[in-house]
Amino acid sequence: MSTPVTLIPGDGIGPSITEATVRLLDAAGADITWDSQLAGAAAVTAVGDPLPEATLASIRRTKLALKGPLETALGKGFRSINVALRKTFDLFANVRPAKSVLPGLRFDGVDIVLVRENTEGLYIGVENYIKVGTDEHAAAQSIAVVTRYGAERIHRYACEYAIRHGRRKVTMVHKANILKYSQGLFLEVGRQVASEYAGRIEIEERIVDACAMELVMRPERYDVIVTTNLFGDILSDLTSGLVGGLGVTPGSNIGNEVGIFEAVHGTAPDIAGKGVANPTAVMLAACQMLDYMGQDALAQRIQTAIETVLRERKQLTRDLGGTATTEQYTDAVIARL
Ligand code: NAI
């Protein structure tokens, strides 16, 4: 039976890279009924709302969305749509795989999945200035909140993910030696969850600064990493950098009910409409989605085709040093299926 999936083409290069991805999935025989919906600047232009109710209703119905990048109009008063989606659907896990595929990079053999807690920590938005004398901004504070509930579900998610994907190890990354309460609780709960998984998967602990150093010295020692919001934000860009940058990095935001899959990069306004955007990240996000849907074999087949084209280096888009258009690159991947 065909699976309904909400498709949000997005802004800038979004429509062309999502179209390329839909074409690839069709060619691979994915049985999906796409429900195309608006968000971002395209939605503002069409209906005056960056996140229309029809789009939310579609995601509520399908519980799955493949999303192109959205333009966030800085300073125009509307909140980030990505944050709004995360909050609306309680998408607590941000999952970012980073795998060495492109030849000639500084590192080979990187295959890391970073699981970032997406709803708590220092990013809850509780911040204020403290006035001293006449200085309104004499000091500032940002509150980090870690809950047992939030920590438990992300640790559990990382362990379950690791087992389901045949991974060997989960590394809990923290700073509990200094932030004894918030990071301390994250680690305490992590250890409790780890005890439940003893014998099924190796679980280790690393302090975030040591982890950052090791990631650029011996990245191949890492497998699945689970960490809090701020550390995950920083380390996930670091791991993307190890494997060729944001252009080839997919990401997913997972909740108990809904999964939203996307590229990590933005709308690339400088190349929008030129037909030269690299669709790899959205294509890999679609593979993450198929895997999430239980269609692991199909996901693997598509991913292998993408990796083959990248390794051959004959049909690469401009950002990767080639001359292929979005269409030519997509044709090359389809030919490799
Ligand atoms: P960006 O990622 O759009 O672009 C940075 C550079 O990378 C540009 O030179 C661009 O041409 C290049 N690039 C990015 N993706 C590419 C691709 N697939 N193929 C070839 N080249 C690519 O970042 P920027 O310029 O900071 O942001 C532009 C807009 O995107 C902003 O409105 C921002 O808010 C939004 N954005 C949206 C995100 C999302 O919806 N998930 C994530 C990041 C930014």
Side-chain angles (χ1 to χ4, degrees):
M1 206 178 76
S2 183
T3 308
V5 174
T6 303
L7 179 71
I8 302 174
D11 301 315
I13 59 170
S16 86
I17 56 179
T18 50
E19 190 198 298
T21 303
V22 167
R23 192 155 72 82
L24 171 61
L25 264 61
D26 281 350
D31 197 3
I32 289 173
T33 306
W34 299 101
D35 180 17
S36 193
Q37 295 288 338
L38 293 170
V44 174
T45 308
V47 295
D49 180 353
L51 189 53
E53 181 46 40
T55 303
L56 294 173
S58 172
I59 300 172
R60 253 179 236 119
R61 183 174 64 81
T62 64
K63 307 198 185 314
L64 287 167
L66 183 67
K67 180 181 142 310
L70 304 175
E71 184 183 318
T72 299
L74 293 171
K76 287 198 189 153
F78 73 74
R79 55 194 176 152
S80 155
I81 306 139
N82 295 317
V83 172
L85 283 171
R86 200 176 297 164
K87 287 195 168 156
T88 305
F89 296 109
D90 193 20
L91 306 174
F92 65 88
N94 180 251
V95 184
R96 289 257 299 254
K99 185 176 173 197
S100 302
V101 175
L102 289 164
L105 294 176
R106 196 168 307 165
F107 297 102
D108 212 9
V110 177
D111 188 2
I112 298 169
V113 177
L114 195 139
V115 178
R116 163 187 170 191
E117 202 293 319
N118 225 358
T119 59
E120 321 194 307
L122 207 49
Y123 284 10
I124 55 168
V126 179
E127 297 187 287
N128 61 278
Y129 288 113
I130 299 164
K131 184 180 174 190
V132 179
T134 55
D135 186 353
E136 299 277 350
H137 290 184
Q141 59 182 356
S142 306
I143 312 281
V145 170
V146 170
T147 66
R148 182 176 297 284
Y149 171 77
E152 189 173 331
R153 67 178 175 174
I154 199 70
H155 282 297
R156 207 175 287 289
Y157 180 86
C159 291
E160 290 294 334
Y161 181 98
I163 288 170
R164 192 167 88 76
H165 291 86
R167 296 275 175 164
R168 66 194 145 84
K169 180 169 74 174
V170 176
T171 307
M172 300 189 277
V173 174
H174 65 89
K175 189 73 186 175
N177 52 328
I178 303 293
L179 299 169
K180 294 190 189 298
Y181 291 79
S182 54
Q183 289 290 319
L185 181 60
F186 183 77
L187 183 60
E188 176 192 315
V189 174
R191 285 174 177 165
Q192 281 164 3
V193 172
S195 68
E196 292 174 33
Y197 286 86
R200 287 199 281 161
I201 185 126
E202 183 190 344
I203 300 181
E204 63 171 14
E205 302 168 8
R206 273 288 182 286
I207 294 174
V208 65
D209 36 330
C211 172
M213 185 182 68
E214 278 186 331
L215 276 172
V216 293
M217 294 186 73
R218 289 195 299 141
E220 63 287 345
R221 78 167 298 290
Y222 284 96
D223 191 348
V224 174
I225 292 175
V226 60
T227 191
T228 50
N229 212 336
L230 172 69
F231 298 156
D233 190 7
I234 299 166
L235 293 181
S236 62
D237 271 21
L238 193 162
T239 54
S240 295
L242 298 175
V243 298
L246 300 180
V248 292
T249 308
S252 58
N253 291 293
I254 309 288
N256 284 329
E257 298 274 321
V258 167
I260 299 185
F261 302 81
E262 63 184 339
V264 168
H265 61 71
T267 60
D270 50 333
I271 57 165
K274 295 185 179 159
V276 297
N278 182 358
T280 303
V282 182
M283 288 174 170
L284 291 174
C287 292
Q288 274 192 297
M289 184 178 81
L290 288 169
D291 179 82
Y292 174 87
M293 288 158 64
Q295 300 192 28
D296 329 17
L298 184 58
Q300 194 51 57
R301 189 156 74 87
I302 298 173
Q303 188 165 333
T304 303
I306 295 168
E307 291 177 5
T308 304
V309 174
L310 292 175
R311 283 208 181 93
E312 284 173 351
R313 298 197 69 95
K314 285 189 198 140
Q315 293 276 14
L316 296 183
T317 45
R318 277 196 337 205
D319 57 308
L320 299 180
T323 55
T325 61
T326 309
E327 213 180 329
Q328 287 165 338
Y329 172 79
T330 307
D331 288 342
V333 176
I334 289 172
R336 285 288 175 184
L337 280 171

